[in-house]
Amino acid sequence: MTFIILKSEFRNPNYIYISHILKQKVPTMEMTFAMIKPNAVKSGLIGRIIDRYIAAGLSVCAVKMHQMTSADARGFYAEHVEKPFFPELEAYMTKGPSVMLALGGENAIAKVRAINGATNPAKAEPGTLRYDFAPSMTENVVHSSDSPESAKRELDFWFKEDERYAYEMPSLKACCVL
Ligand code: CMP
């Protein structure tokens, strides 16, 4: 069965499904990349972090656990390689496994960044992941793409196209299912 998805009101992550209007699915979904960093993995936070994304209406489209090599860190963080903080970042990112995620949903890029909070945990808003869990700028618990261009680059870096599964989660509060 195929559906048309009508955008629901802003802040409401639910969708209205109208199955009989069009035979084609209208793509309203955005996919972004997020990463649960080594200190969060070691602290047993994988489930709690993924729960927050799902609670915001985002679907997990791909997941992979991987310990970065130096080559991975230099490729993934290419724009930061020359920056003074890079050696510390590289040492941290290669010291244990991270969890790579593709997350899908309406406004996924902005939603994940809002859930994560400011890069510097000292500036993160209460209720964000970095406010709640991050001890420092380097060990800031999570990463996410900051634009559609970086989302494409970062998703391509970690996942092949056929490893990503785009779908909308049926919501318990769905407005209307015909
Ligand atoms: P992330 O969102 O993964 O993007 C780059 C990472 O570099 C950032 O989170 C921090 O973990 C780390 N970092 C360390 N120092 C800085 C800095 N001064 N500015 C930006 N990022 C930094």
Side-chain angles (χ1 to χ4, degrees):
M1 194 182 295
T2 53
F3 300 104
I4 177 174
I5 300 169
L6 301 184
K7 189 168 173 287
S8 54
E9 64 184 280
F10 190 65
R11 300 190 67 78
N12 184 343
N14 305 323
Y15 298 109
I16 300 171
Y17 297 88
I18 311 278
S19 62
H20 63 281
I21 295 180
L22 274 187
K23 294 264 186 226
Q24 233 181 352
K25 186 174 154 183
V26 176
T28 57
M29 253 200 32
E30 188 171 66
M31 201 179 286
T32 190
F33 174 76
M35 175 167 57
I36 304 173
K37 295 186 176 184
N39 61 322
V41 171
K42 280 196 179 157
S43 303
L45 292 171
I46 296 173
R48 290 168 76 180
I49 290 172
I50 292 177
D51 252 2
R52 291 212 192 168
Y53 298 139
I54 291 174
L58 297 162
S59 52
V60 176
C61 302
V63 59
K64 174 185 289 182
M65 194 165 192
H66 173 73
Q67 182 160 350
M68 278 196 199
T69 61
S70 288
D72 289 331
R74 287 174 170 273
F76 181 69
Y77 283 122
E79 74 204 85
H80 297 309
V81 168
E82 301 302 330
K83 297 190 179 154
F85 61 80
F86 185 76
E88 190 180 328
L89 177 64
E90 180 185 15
Y92 163 60
M93 293 307 304
T94 56
K95 79 176 180 188
S98 297
V99 173
M100 318 308 181
L101 299 166
L103 298 170
E106 217 175 348
N107 297 317
I109 296 170
K111 260 187 194 167
V112 174
R113 289 185 72 74
I115 292 165
N116 289 355
T119 305
N120 183 350
K123 296 185 179 162
E125 292 288 323
T128 62
L129 291 168
R130 284 165 172 158
Y131 179 94
D132 288 347
F133 302 124
S136 69
M137 178 89 115
T138 299
E139 303 203 0
N140 63 354
V141 176
V142 280
H143 165 89
S144 64
S145 310
D146 62 5
S147 66
E149 295 72 31
S150 72
K152 179 177 174 5
R153 188 188 79 80
E154 294 175 0
L155 286 166
D156 287 347
F157 193 92
W158 295 111
F159 299 107
K160 295 177 192 150
E161 289 269 0
D162 65 2
E163 291 176 325
R164 307 170 204 168
Y165 299 89
Y167 61 96
E168 289 87 26
M169 284 187 303
S171 170
L172 293 175
K173 294 189 206 163
C175 309
C176 157
V177 179
L178 298 179

